[in-house]
Each structure stands twice: as structure tokens, then as C-alpha cells.
Amino acid sequence: MNSFCHRNRQLADRAAEAPKWTAPYALNPATIAVDSGVLTGIVLKSLNGGAETVELPLTVSFLASGVARVTLDEKKRQLGQIELSNDRIRKERYNEAEKWTIVGGLDADTSIDSSAIFANDEITVVKYGPAKNFEAVITHSPFSLKFMRDGEEQIVLNDRGLFNMEHWRPRDSTPEEGVDQHGLFDESFSGKSDTKPRGPESVGLDISFIGYDHVFGIPEHASPLSLRETRGGGDGAYDEPYRLYNLDVFEYEFDSPMSLYGAIPFMQAHKKGGDVAVFWLNGAETWIDVVKKRTERTTTQTHWFSESGLLDVFVFLGPTAEENIKSYSQLTGTTALPQTFSIAYHQCRWNYLSQDDVAQVDAKFDEHDIPYDVIWLDVEHTDGKRYLTWDEANFPEPEKMLEALDKKQRKLVNIVDPHIKKDDNYHVYQGAKENDVIVKDNNGNNYEGWCWPGSSVWVDFFKPKAVEWWKSLMTYDAYKGSAKNLYVWNDMNEPAVFSGPEITMPKDNIHEGGWEHRDVHNINGMVFHNATALALMNRDGDKPLRPFILTRSFFAGTQRISASWTGDNLGNWDHLAVSIPMVLSNGIAGMTFTGADVGGFFGNPSPELLARWYQVGAFYPFFRAHAHIDTKRREPWLAGEPWTGYMKEAIRGRYRLLPTWYTAFRRASVDGMPVLRPMYLAFPDVEEGFGVDDQFFLGDSGILAKPVTKEGHDSVSVWLGDEQPYYDYSNYDVHQGKGQTTVYAPIDKTPMLIQGGNIFVRRDRPRRSSPAMKYDPFTLVVALDKDGNAKGRFYLDDGETFDYTKGGYIERTFTFDGKKATLRSDSLNDAAPGEFLKDMERVRVEKVIIVGANGQQLGQVHSVDVLQGGKKWETEVEYVKSGDGKVGVLTVRDPAVTITEDWTLQLRVGKIEL
Ligand code: NOJ
């Protein structure tokens, strides 16, 4: 653990042990001003019993969205009054995390001015929020901030007095009382030394969630969705705090707060009746302790500390999780709407060895009638790990390979890592040197480290010039052998440096603007994939397709551009199981386009594990099989029957549901709601569900999945959060009643239930790749609730261009009204019909399956009147019972309605026209 982490934890211990702990920070009331939604003032830190003080400018912005933002900086540094021996090093605290992360939502509520506050000597109170039912109560001394909703305390900052802003001090200054002096100005970590020309500058704060028992978020960790306690907590508590420091971790543990590849410092607290959240905007190494105090009502106490940067905390008061996620998405951006191919199935391994190998794997998919959209090439496809080149012996004609894939409407993804081989004959290295865009070491020289290609350098993508140059490298001319159907995988961008401390870059390396690597470490991976996205779009001039990039490292904001995966997992049952909470956790923190390596990266999974992993994988928003170079080949046909059949069925199931997946992605791209929904989001008032993290809903479809993640199991216990009927996806057997229900799940089956009340859309003819399904007809599944009604939503566009931003899309609601026995389809898009709609005119609905058609009325439907475009025609129905004989299933055959127009199906019962 680094020294800043020790110091902050020691402070927590001192505070806990002291009979009465008073934090040495006070807001000077005379300095408080409020104008246009922003409160400012000066917080004084007193040192050594008040002998000295440090001024910390405070800003509390009350945003129009209802979010409050609290920022503290250090005045002396802001004014540049500090002498440093090495003037290359920036003197301010790092203040650019916002620049890379925040894309909107910062407008302040300008109606708030000094008249909106109440103040006396002790406190200042500001009423805010869209309904003015939020209050910020600032206690001046010791400084703390309490956030209230409807008169009730929700979040308290500095509740326990652990606020700590390590101010700038010269090396020879009087030591701060009680503060361990070890590691303040330099330290050695895992055998590597870290010079600290700016000295200590960590920032820490405790944040209490009053009355909240569950906190979620702060990915990425291989741990349960509802965060466990850490030191000082009860049973099952982790010793270490949750760590956010993007790292390339070898064989990570499956139940641990240790750092992984990505970092999103967004935490949500949930309880029956309300939600709150905080976003700790800081790109440096960050740790978070979590403890729950269970008295009359549980309060979750958290303690956050980052190695450098501003204190910059966004406070969300809901009242719902949905609203918090939406506000967070306004700030950091929503998931980019992906191309359809990228949410289909991806086949990867380290490595497909040659273009013949690629051709053979490609052919085998067709031979076995297994759909797939993308084949991937890992590092070995390059000329000696020189990215953006090809190994000419094994890939002599990449254009031909890409063309052959394109004929089947398939894509290729090539890996492009951020380390650049130090080789004067390599054009990328030459360019990086000539443009002077290489990250510097602490002496100002180009930093060199060791990675796959041997001695390497790293491009500093914080430099605008580096981005421009990177763009020039990916044009079709510059990247020889590339084509429109080639996309990019950015791996190792934490960055992984084999020779560096903790296999990453030294913290005292220098980036654009003189900032140290320590300041930007967690943001580093994001600026790399952002540059790649711009490069991919640039290659198609003014008609770009949506870029597809997979990144291993991520930060808040990555979702705007990139998909991610959970890195080098292990091919065992534990890793299969933990992949579900990991994907859910990433999802609620904005990073919803994510998945784990199907089959596990390391090791050789048994056929049973592999088959089950495909069933889970078919529910990852990002669905890719991948394997380490030392593993045995495991493409789906290699296991042989019956296993191949199980994997094939899982993949085909995904393809059938692609329209529903795409609709869920659309919602994520609009308001940030994750594609996979954990139970606390689905049933916010049902406490038993808050900790459930092994089952989830797919978007708003009503499909509830709980894949099998245990060896030898042939059933699962699914938790139902309400009294609706839940129909088994495969045979419509009904499960009803809040609580646990057993769903039979032999090896060929993924346990999936459809919650009554929902309508979703399928395409029931999986083909060899997703674009081949473009004009296929749709099937609607209408699952009736206990009152006989249902509704659903559907979104479709061309799945590749940006035309949808100009109205080129179909968006519809479907409504089944049980009393009237009608199903309606209504458009939500008012834009004038353009090319896309014309193109889709021929696409029809081939089948409507009404599940739960019980009782006299729906049990006796003999035909259906179809109304579309002022015309009326009749079609036939078929009525059967579910496997258990309890559920009526009415299938409307070929209603011949189109997907582009409004229509109504009127079910005719007996002789009576309803
Ligand atoms: C590490 C990645 O996590 C893994 O997926 C990849 O195969 C290897 N790097 C080799 O590129």
C-alpha cells in the first residue's frame, strides 16, 4: 500500500481512537458568497495547533439537473506561489480531470443567489434541486456538508472528520503533528523508486450515506455488486480498501477489492424509498474503504483518498437510481450507439496464426451453421509487434482476407497496443519521435520501458498533436492492407509496462502540460481509445461509420466511445460466476458495453464449462470468445456433439434477440440505463432483491435471465420481485409469486423467464452474420400480465451509420389492451420518412405470440382483423397450451403488417366483435 494510503488510513484510525476528534478545517463565514447557483468561500486548514493556516478555496455548484458539485483547491498553488527545484513540474494540483471526463450537465441553477440561503455563524443552508426539496447544510467549523432530501439527511461529507488535503510544503518544513513522514517526498514501491518533486498532495474525505445499507459501483473489481465492507467491517469484510488504479493484473482473484483494468469512481447508495450517489472526479490512484454502521438504521460510511488532484465530488440526490444514472450520464456521456455487428458474436483467440487459419475458422462457422460477425487478430498478426503492420509471411494479402470476410458481411478486428517498438525503421516510432509525442521520464527524456515488442516508448495522447498524428496513421493509405470492415482493439492501455512499477508506468513520468503520470494514470487508457476512435472515423471522410473499439482500460467517459471487457480471467467456474456481477457493476457505472472472455482467458475449460459460458456470454452486452496463446483451441465445433450444439444454440439465441439487445442499447445511449439491469434497479422497493447479483433483466424487455454458473447443476433458483406471472422462455410454463422459484435448466438450456406485462421483438431466423438478417421478418412476443395487458418498445436503424441522428430510425411502442383485445403498434418518431424507412418498408411482422392468453375471452379467439394504412384484412390464429398446461399461447400467423407503419390487430372472440 502506498504511503498516501497509509497516511489517510492512519488519520482514520487516529480519528476513531480520539475521545473527541475535531477535523482541522473550517470555512470562514466572512468569505462565503452565492451567485448564479454557485457558492464560494475559503476553507482554512490549521496546522500544528493553529500556528499556521492554509487557504483552500471552496466552490459548491448547484447544477440545474439537481446535482451539487463540491470542489476544493489550494490557493497558494492556484496562484503559483510555490518554489520548486524542478520547474518542469506543474505546481498546481491536477485540475484537468474534468476536461477529459465531463461533456455536459454543468449548467448551474442560476436562480440560486444569496437570497436563497439561510446563514448564521455556524451554518449556511442552500435550498436547491428542480423541486427545491434538496438542501445543502454547510457547517462552518469543523467544515462539513450535509445533503438533505425532503428534510431527511442523505449524504454527509466529512461526517467523521477525515477530510484531508495534503497541502504543498517544502521538504524542510516542520512535520505535521501525527503524520507519518515516510514517503512524503520520495518512496520506493515494489523495488522501484518514485521521486515526488511536488511532495505529498493526496486528498481524502469520508462520505456517509445515512440510512443506506447497500452501495454499488466503483468498478472495476471482481467482487459482488453490493459492495462488501472493508477493514473494520463485519463478517466477510475485505482487509484492503477497494482500489482504483488501472493495472494489468495477472490471474486476478475472483472475490477481491484489488484493482483491475478500469476505474469509475461513481458510487450509488440504495434503500427502499430512495437513492443517492456520488462521483469522485479524480484520475489519480484512489482507494475507498466501506464500513456499515448498523444501529437503528444502517449507515454506510465510506472513506475515499486519491494520491493527487482536486477534491471534486458530485452529489446526486435522486430520488431514484434511474435519475442518478441519468444525471451521471449527462455529465460523463452515454454509451455510444454501437454498430449492430458489434453486439453480435465475436470470435477471438491469441492468435489466429495466418490468413489461411482465418479462412478456415470462418468456413467452419458456416459448415456448422453457427453465426458470427467478427474474427479477431491478436499481437502475432503484426510484423514483430509493430502495430499497424502485418506479418507478411502469414498475412501476405490482408486485403484479400478482408474482402473475403466482407463478402459474408463479416468484420475483422486487429489489436493495436499503445507501446511502440523502439526501432528506427518502424514508421510509427519514427513519427512519434519526429512529432515529439512520446511520454517523458522524470528527467525529461523519452521514457522507455519493456513490453511485447521489447524496448518500447508510449505515445502521450494527452497531446492534441499526438491525436492528429494518430489519425494520419489509420487512413486506408497509411495503414496498408486495412479496409472499411477492419476495426480496432486497444489492449494494454492502463498502460501495461512489463518493466515498470506494478507493471505500469512510473508515476513521475511527465505528460502534456507538465502533469505527472500519477495525476492522469486512470485517464490514460481513455485518451488512447478516444484517439483511435477519431482515427477510425477520419478514414471515411465526411461519411464515417460508427467506430468500434474494444479497450481494456477505462475511466468515467469511456462509454462514449468504446466497449470494454474484463481482461485476463481464468477458465474456471468461479470466474464464470463473478463475471455476472462484474458486468452488472460496470453497467450501472455507465460502462454497459462490456463482457468477459467467453471460456476464460487462461486454462482449458471442460466442455460443460464452455457450454455454460456460452450461455452466460450470450447475455454479455459484449459477447466474445477469447483464449490465451497457450490454451488448446476451443472454437465451438471442437468439443463435438452434444457440446457444440449447446454452444451453437446459445449463439443463435443471441442472434434471434438482436433487435431486443439493440433496443436496450438505444435506451443506454439516450439516458444511460444499463443494458443489463440488476434487481435493485428493477424492484427498487423490494429489499430482498438488493443484494441479488446473479440474475438480471435484459433492458426493458421483461426477459429475466439467470444463467447456470455451477458445475453439474440442472436447475437454478430465480428470485422474483413481484407478483406478475413469469413465463419460461422456452415452453411458457408459468412461475408466479414473489420470492424464489426453481427453474429447470438442463445443460442445453439457459434459464430465462419473461415477466408478464412485456412485449419484445425477435428475428427467428439466425443467419451466418447479423447484416444478413437485415430484411428478415420480426416475431413479437407479448407476455400478458395478471390483468391481461402488456407493453413494449422497439428501436431499429441502419445499424452502422450516423443517419439515426438525423431521424433515420424506427421507434415504436407496442400496446396490448386485454379489455379491448387489441395489439397496437405506434410510432414514436416524428421525423419525415427518409431512406432508411423506405428501405425497411418490405420488412414485416411474421408472427405474434401472445403468452398468457387465458380465460374466456382470449381462449376463444378464432381470427384476427388486421388494420394498417386504412386497410383491413383477416388472418389466422392458433391456440396451444404451455408445457405445464397452465398458460394459453395464442399465435397470430403472418399478420403481414410492416414494421414501418402503425397498425392494430383486433382479436375476434367467438361471434362477438369486440
Ligand atoms: C492481454 C490481453 O488482456 C489479452 O486479451 C491478449 O490476448 C494479450 N494481452 C495479448 O495481446
Side-chain angles (χ1 to χ4, degrees), residues 350 378-379 415 452 489 491-492 552 565 568 601 626:
W350 178 16
D378 208 317
V379 288
I415 200 163
W452 299 128
W489 172 16
D491 187 18
M492 311 289 275
R552 193 170 69 175
W565 90 109
D568 298 349
F601 181 64
H626 183 40

Side-chain angles (χ1 to χ4, degrees), residues 742-880:
T742 301
V743 177
Y744 183 51
I747 180 73
D748 61 349
K749 186 176 158 190
T750 311
M752 288 160 74
L753 300 176
I754 314 165
Q755 183 196 34
N758 292 287
I759 302 177
F760 63 88
V761 174
R762 275 197 318 234
R763 270 180 161 146
D764 278 340
R765 306 163 194 213
R767 294 181 192 268
R768 65 181 175 200
S769 64
S770 67
M773 297 165 72
K774 184 165 183 186
Y775 300 107
D776 281 350
F778 289 97
T779 292
L780 259 62
V781 178
V782 179
L784 300 185
D785 65 13
K786 50 183 163 40
D787 303 317
N789 301 316
K791 57 185 171 23
R793 214 176 161 113
F794 165 68
Y795 176 84
L796 188 73
D797 60 28
D798 66 20
E800 52 182 9
T801 72
F802 287 97
D803 289 356
Y804 71 96
T805 59
K806 295 175 225 123
Y809 64 88
I810 295 167
E811 191 158 29
R812 315 206 131 256
T813 55
F814 299 118
T815 321
F816 187 88
D817 184 326
K819 285 215 178 74
K820 294 191 191 143
T822 55
L823 173 66
R824 295 169 55 100
S825 168
D826 296 294
S827 177
L828 292 169
N829 184 1
D830 299 333
E835 241 170 76
F836 174 67
L837 248 71
K838 278 218 138 12
D839 195 29
M840 286 291 118
E841 263 168 13
R842 62 181 127 150
V843 179
R844 63 197 167 83
V845 174
E846 66 174 343
K847 206 194 271 182
V848 177
I849 304 170
I850 302 167
V851 186
N854 300 335
Q856 270 216 327
Q857 171 155 296
L858 296 181
Q860 291 179 15
V861 173
H862 61 77
S863 71
V864 170
D865 284 342
V866 183
L867 296 107
Q868 182 172 38
K871 296 199 186 107
K872 181 171 166 183
W873 59 93
E874 205 173 298
T875 190
E876 285 170 10
V877 295
E878 183 187 290
Y879 188 78
V880 293

Side-chain angles (χ1 to χ4, degrees), residues 8-21:
N8 282 281
R9 267 193 151 188
Q10 265 174 3
L11 170 69
D13 291 343
R14 282 198 339 259
E17 282 156 19
K20 195 179 173 309
W21 173 257

Side-chain angles (χ1 to χ4, degrees), residues 3 128 195 222 226 392 407 463 466 521 579 608 623 702 716 723 790 806 813 826 853 899 909:
S3 66
Y128 71 103
T195 65
S226 177
E392 284 179 14
K407 283 213 175 93
K463 287 189 189 301
H521 176 84
S579 71
E608 181 190 349
F623 180 21
V716 290
E723 292 293 344
K806 295 175 225 123
T813 55
D826 296 294
I899 201 70
V909 181

Side-chain angles (χ1 to χ4, degrees), residues 250-320:
F250 181 68
E251 299 198 345
Y252 60 80
E253 291 163 31
F254 72 88
D255 185 4
S256 160
M258 73 201 268
S259 262
L260 291 176
Y261 312 88
I264 305 184
F266 178 52
M267 182 186 275
Q268 300 176 40
H270 177 75
K271 67 177 181 195
K272 188 173 169 181
D275 287 78
V276 293
V278 293
F279 174 42
W280 176 271
L281 178 50
N282 192 304
E285 176 178 357
T286 297
W287 299 76
I288 304 128
D289 266 314
V290 177
V291 172
K292 298 179 184 181
K293 287 285 165 229
R294 296 188 173 85
T295 47
E296 217 174 295
R297 54 180 185 165
T298 305
T299 281
T300 299
Q301 299 181 330
T302 62
H303 183 200
W304 303 61
F305 30 97
S306 296
E307 188 170 12
S308 67
L310 303 177
L311 177 96
D312 199 355
V313 187
F314 292 76
V315 175
F316 305 75
L317 293 186
T320 64

